[in-house]
Amino acid sequence: MGNGGSKTWVLLAAGSKDWDNYRHQADVCHAYQIIHGSGIPDEQIVVMMYDDIAYNNENPKKGNIINVPNGPNVYQGVLKDYTGNDVSDENFLAVLRGDSGAVKTRGPKKVLSSGSNDTILIYLSDHGAPGMFAFPKSTLYASDLIDTVTKMSNNQQFSKMVIYMESCHSGSMLQGLPSSCNVYGISASTPTESSYACFFDELRNAYVADEFTTCLFQHIKTHDLSSTTLERQFDFLKKRVKGSTPCKYGNMQTGQENLCQFWGNVQAAGTREQAYHIQVNDAIASHNVPLRIQANRIQRERDPRRKQEQQRKYDVLQRTTRKIETVVLEIQQQCSRGCASASRRRAERNSACMDRAKLVGLKTVTEHFRTSCFDWHDEQFLIALQHTQVFADLIFSGTEEYRIMEAITAVRRRHF
């Protein structure tokens, strides 16, 4: 799909696993159905998802994934180019830059083989933190994403690119997109905000969608993509998304391109739905979802022993959250003597972009925290991602990396 000799290439990635994160893979499956239905051939679409939801033990309808209340099965026919542990930051970046030699998988090494006249659409959905997007067992850092996109632009591997990111703090991943590249990024939230899950399904005990993505798909299904620009789509999202604040980054001229350049001709494929107006409900900050779902497991369980086990898991979640909060607060206090307040630094970070050196510094510090204290690739410590904004505030304010790392090490000795 494209004009003349150009093609449209698509990369869809859900970075999470486990039932509590149902919505991220549902988002990606739905995105695939829209794009596949628009006429873009599967050879030009790459899908990355762990694939542990459709036949999960907790799924009451095996082989079925929905993304709206009482909606259609978006899992049926979806591509599974990379699943399980092959869903990683390294593979994501290798696929994006078309580097099949760098892909680590036992299966086929499908990549984006884009050229100078081609367009690229990227959509990602998962948990995030300042300068980070989580994969099941690895982390995609903003510095690595920006470096890859910049090199691809310099190597003329695309003519235009759009990136949609559904995650907490997603603005911090796209903030550094250079205006000199033809890349337009839309984030679900500012660099300092949570994104929001929505549509709690009682039968499944899961949030089946995310608010930003729901509004994005609503826009695509109710507008003529051949005459609607990325910029106008962003304006729509700014008005419709209530829980978080969508932001735009990169090359604003690319924002004047029509959506059909990236999403294909949805109307011609018969997937446009004039009546697709869904009212978002049950919205909840993403980091609160695990406790809510675990509380429901306790309430629904009738067997006394299993109920007691579910209560134990809930109590562990709460204790872990309190411990993470205590550790991060101590690190912050040790580093922040004489510095501006956290709220002031966070307000400044919303409007000002971290340069590459600071993004690399943030990667170094947060990796030290992850390997020393709480590895958020372990589901029980996932909430630690939410608290890494303290390190972003410190780096942004000019606190030296070594000071933060020394504080992390010192606090670790006291608590572990």
Side-chain angles (χ1 to χ4, degrees):
M1 183 71 60
N3 294 327
S6 68
K7 294 181 178 180
T8 298
W9 297 85
V10 179
L11 177 52
L12 309 174
S16 67
K17 62 184 180 69
D18 297 328
W19 187 255
D20 291 4
N21 299 312
Y22 181 109
R23 62 196 184 278
H24 301 136
Q25 293 183 57
D27 292 341
V28 161
C29 288
H30 196 172
Y32 167 76
Q33 299 298 347
I34 294 171
I35 292 163
H36 174 76
S38 75
I40 297 174
D42 284 351
E43 293 76 18
Q44 293 160 215
I45 306 170
V46 177
V47 178
M48 307 180 76
M49 64 177 188
Y50 204 84
D51 195 25
D52 63 342
I53 299 301
Y55 292 95
N56 193 288
N57 289 335
E58 294 194 62
N59 193 344
K61 296 191 174 183
K62 297 295 186 284
N64 179 285
I65 295 176
I66 63 172
N67 197 222
V68 295
N70 304 310
N73 182 9
V74 294
Y75 183 73
Q76 188 172 4
V78 73
L79 296 180
K80 302 171 200 171
D81 299 303
Y82 295 88
T83 59
N85 292 335
D86 291 340
V87 181
S88 67
D89 68 307
E90 288 185 357
N91 280 347
F92 173 84
L93 292 174
V95 169
L96 175 58
R97 64 178 183 265
D99 186 359
S100 59
V103 172
K104 297 177 181 178
T105 179
R106 293 181 179 179
K109 298 183 177 183
K110 188 177 179 183
V111 299
L112 303 191
S113 301
S114 57
S116 59
N117 293 324
D118 296 342
T119 59
I120 297 176
L121 182 152
I122 302 171
Y123 171 84
L124 303 104
S125 180
D126 189 22
H127 297 285
M132 292 180 278
F133 177 88
F135 278 90
K137 294 187 177 180
S138 62
T139 305
L140 175 64
Y141 285 90
S143 54
D144 297 326
L145 176 62
I146 300 303
D147 284 352
T148 298
V149 169
T150 302
K151 288 176 183 176
M152 289 178 65
S153 177
N154 293 338
N155 293 337
Q156 299 184 345
Q157 288 181 263
F158 61 88
S159 63
K160 298 176 286 289
M161 178 189 293
V162 64
I163 305 174
Y164 299 91
M165 188 166 290
E166 173 71 74
S167 71
C168 296
H169 306 273
S170 48
S172 65
M173 288 293 294
L174 304 179
Q175 223 177 5
L177 286 173
S179 59
S180 58
C181 301
N182 293 331
V183 183
Y184 189 79
I186 303 180
S187 65
S189 60
T190 71
T192 63
E193 279 183 331
S194 295
S195 60
Y196 278 68
C198 63
F199 299 142
F200 182 74
D201 186 283
E202 291 285 350
L203 175 65
R204 293 169 174 82
N205 188 30
Y207 288 89
V208 303
D210 289 289
E211 183 193 19
F212 167 81
T213 294
T214 296
C215 294
L216 172 65
F217 293 164
Q218 178 177 351
H219 179 271
I220 290 164
K221 292 187 177 186
T222 58
H223 289 75
D224 181 354
L225 306 192
S226 65
S227 61
T228 305
T229 65
L230 287 165
E231 178 72 20
R232 287 170 64 187
Q233 182 183 67
F234 173 75
D235 292 340
F236 175 93
L237 293 170
K238 283 279 285 186
K239 293 177 182 176
R240 292 298 180 96
V241 178
K242 304 300 182 184
S244 60
T245 310
C247 297
K248 60 181 178 180
Y249 300 100
N251 185 297
M252 294 300 108
Q253 188 59 40
T254 303
Q256 302 307 311
E257 299 290 341
N258 286 330
L259 290 166
C260 60
Q261 293 284 312
F262 305 93
W263 290 90
N265 195 341
V266 172
Q267 182 179 11
T271 62
R272 186 173 179 221
E273 302 171 27
Q274 295 286 359
Y276 189 89
H277 291 285
I278 297 175
Q279 185 68 38
V280 171
N281 55 39
D282 307 317
I284 180 175
S286 292
H287 59 270
N288 290 327
V289 168
L291 281 172
R292 167 71 192 276
I293 290 178
Q294 189 59 29
N296 286 336
R297 289 188 180 112
I298 296 167
Q299 185 177 12
R300 291 161 58 147
E301 185 57 65
R302 294 292 174 260
D303 181 271
R305 287 187 179 181
R306 288 199 291 265
K307 192 180 191 75
Q308 187 177 26
E309 175 60 17
Q310 296 294 359
Q311 183 64 55
R312 186 194 66 78
K313 290 179 180 179
Y314 184 86
D315 294 341
V316 168
L317 270 175
Q318 288 195 311
R319 285 198 302 271
T320 300
T321 299
R322 288 195 296 269
K323 183 173 182 179
I324 292 169
E325 290 171 349
T326 299
V327 168
V328 171
L329 180 60
E330 287 188 25
I331 295 169
Q332 180 186 29
Q333 289 172 340
Q334 191 160 323
C335 293
S336 297
R337 298 184 183 95
C339 297
S341 70
S343 59
R344 178 182 166 188
R345 288 195 301 268
R346 204 154 294 157
E348 291 170 345
R349 188 156 57 82
N350 257 337
S351 57
C353 179
M354 280 193 186
D355 59 29
R356 186 182 184 281
K358 283 187 168 61
L359 287 174
V360 172
L362 179 60
K363 176 181 178 179
T364 301
V365 166
T366 52
E367 274 297 296
H368 182 56
F369 175 73
R370 182 185 69 80
T371 56
S372 299
C373 300
F374 304 103
D375 186 353
W376 49 77
H377 300 142
D378 184 335
E379 196 69 19
Q380 66 174 319
F381 299 131
L382 185 60
I383 190 65
L385 271 176
Q386 189 68 20
H387 295 278
T388 60
Q389 60 184 325
V390 167
F391 305 128
D393 294 338
L394 291 168
I395 289 285
F396 182 82
S397 68
T399 307
E400 297 90 343
E401 290 171 40
Y402 80 89
R403 281 189 59 202
I404 306 172
M405 293 175 74
E406 285 179 352
I408 292 171
T409 301
V411 173
R412 181 191 184 282
R413 290 193 186 113
R414 293 197 293 268
H415 287 274
F416 296 89

